[in-house]
Amino acid sequence: MEDPSLKQEMSLKTFLYCLKHLKTIGDDKVRILWWEPLLYSKIEEIFKLSVKWGFRVHTFSNFKIPVPRLEKILDFGDSYDYSRLSFNLNLNDEDFYKQGELDMIYNTLQFLREKWCSRMVSYNIYEYSHAYDFIFDVAQRFGVKDIILKVTNTVMWDKEIIDSNSREYWDYIYSMIEKYHKDFNIGFGCGLSSKIFTQEQKDFIASETNIRLKWGCENNGGRYDINTDGSVYRCFPLQSIYKGKELHITHPVFQNNTLSKVTKFIDSYVPTNIGLVEDENCLGNQ
């Protein structure tokens, strides 16, 4: 919930606007992401409000948080159905971490497993010179079945970390799918387009039931992102094109409209070439 570019946290007042909007469009899930949300000073209140209003909560985190702190955040009593809370671990290659950080991640994974919270692992692909078996080994060790593959080159005009147009890169991703598709449910996050695969590879992927056939922005289901100050973007990587024409969650369009009408309004407010299917003009799908 903390945005380093804004140097502020989302106020509870703004968060309540978000909850009211989700109720209006009939969505029962709150997605908490951006920076490290579990370190947000009001994260306990955020979870309590979400649970009180009947929402499921899906949190994106690096899991580098002491278990006693997480216990306090998730203290809803023995009668609460903790499977309504899902956590997406953003996991990197093993040598990305400092001493002690992996132990903290493992402890958090085990705690959430014992709580019966839903869990998935997102593999942030920075390069393709490292063995990816580590990612799948961690998931298997802690009973995680869902793996999301995503690229790090998704912020508009940032210098590319890896060459996402290289054949070596495409084959690196496909080799993961080929090796692990029978043991895990594999999905595709921001930056991964079906265009990177050959037709033969796409035919293989389409034939496997453990692979979720949604790509890049299509995988977002037509949603949009709300920043810590309440500004709304079609997706965070494209927020720079909204500069000077910010859209805020308090705008009337978010108060009494359906999801499809809100999404259509956002797409027309600042055209971004992002629809409900992947678009080759979207940077996140290059």
Side-chain angles (χ1 to χ4, degrees):
M1 300 294 288
E2 183 182 5
D3 179 353
S5 66
L6 292 173
K7 304 297 182 185
Q8 70 180 57
E9 294 182 345
M10 180 178 282
S11 69
L12 292 179
K13 181 179 179 180
T14 300
F15 185 69
L16 283 169
Y17 268 108
C18 298
L19 293 185
K20 290 175 182 176
H21 168 60
L22 291 174
K23 283 287 188 184
T24 298
I25 62 174
D27 198 333
D28 70 343
K29 180 186 284 188
V30 176
R31 296 167 66 244
I32 304 176
L33 65 160
W34 200 237
W35 209 234
E36 180 41 59
L38 294 179
L39 297 181
Y40 175 41
S41 65
K42 297 183 178 65
I43 193 63
E44 287 179 53
E45 291 91 335
I46 291 293
F47 268 86
K48 286 176 182 176
L49 281 169
S50 301
V51 168
K52 182 180 178 181
W53 283 46
F55 286 99
R56 295 178 295 135
V57 183
H58 186 75
T59 306
F60 296 77
S61 171
N62 60 30
F63 280 25
K64 290 186 285 187
I65 180 172
V67 166
R69 170 66 176 145
L70 193 55
E71 284 180 315
K72 191 175 180 182
I73 295 170
L74 304 183
D75 184 13
F76 301 118
D78 294 337
S79 62
Y80 180 71
D81 180 6
Y82 285 89
S83 68
R84 292 180 61 81
L85 307 179
S86 55
F87 291 84
N88 189 323
L89 165 61
N90 295 309
L91 194 60
N92 302 293
D93 292 305
E94 187 172 10
D95 63 358
F96 179 89
Y97 297 99
K98 298 176 183 176
Q99 185 174 3
E101 288 183 335
L102 280 175
D103 287 336
M104 191 175 292
I105 290 171
Y106 297 157
N107 290 338
T108 300
L109 277 168
Q110 184 59 29
F111 169 77
L112 294 174
R113 185 181 193 178
E114 292 172 0
K115 276 280 190 183
W116 294 95
C117 296
S118 301
R119 294 149 298 128
M120 64 176 59
V121 167
S122 287
Y123 177 24
N124 298 319
I125 304 169
Y126 287 88
E127 54 186 334
Y128 40 82
S129 59
H130 296 192
Y132 47 71
D133 295 312
F134 164 74
I135 306 295
F136 293 89
D137 287 346
V138 170
Q140 191 168 47
R141 176 179 169 186
F142 292 98
V144 177
K145 295 293 292 182
D146 297 316
I147 305 289
I148 304 296
L149 304 179
K150 61 183 184 178
V151 183
T152 308
N153 301 337
T154 54
V155 179
M156 202 171 209
W157 298 307
D158 269 9
K159 182 180 179 181
E160 281 202 336
I161 298 172
I162 55 176
D163 180 8
S164 55
N165 288 313
S166 73
R167 184 73 255 172
E168 184 181 3
Y169 165 72
W170 302 348
D171 289 339
Y172 175 78
I173 294 173
Y174 183 72
S175 66
M176 277 185 264
I177 296 169
E178 196 171 34
K179 183 173 182 178
Y180 286 107
H181 72 279
K182 291 189 180 298
D183 299 315
F184 296 91
N185 303 314
I186 295 178
F188 307 96
C190 200
L192 274 176
S193 168
S194 62
K195 296 180 178 67
I196 71 173
F197 298 112
T198 65
Q199 187 58 52
E200 183 180 357
Q201 289 172 337
K202 284 193 282 189
D203 289 343
F204 171 79
I205 290 171
S207 69
E208 296 299 325
T209 56
N210 279 11
I211 300 175
R212 188 169 61 206
L213 285 176
K214 286 182 178 291
W215 307 84
C217 296
E218 181 190 17
N219 202 33
N220 199 26
R223 299 300 195 268
Y224 31 87
D225 293 325
I226 304 171
N227 215 335
T228 55
D229 63 349
S231 52
V232 183
Y233 310 104
R234 192 60 173 84
C235 67
F236 279 125
L238 297 177
Q239 63 181 285
S240 56
I241 68 173
Y242 288 78
K243 196 169 183 178
K245 197 179 180 184
E246 285 79 9
L247 182 60
H248 199 270
I249 190 61
T250 55
H251 189 286
V253 73
F254 297 107
Q255 308 311 312
N256 293 294
N257 276 305
T258 62
L259 172 62
S260 60
K261 287 182 179 179
V262 171
T263 303
K264 186 176 181 180
F265 176 83
I266 294 173
D267 285 344
S268 63
Y269 188 81
V270 177
T272 59
N273 292 322
I274 302 177
L276 297 183
V277 295
E278 71 170 322
D279 192 301
E280 63 184 355
N281 296 315
C282 173
L283 181 75
N285 279 329
Q286 296 303 303

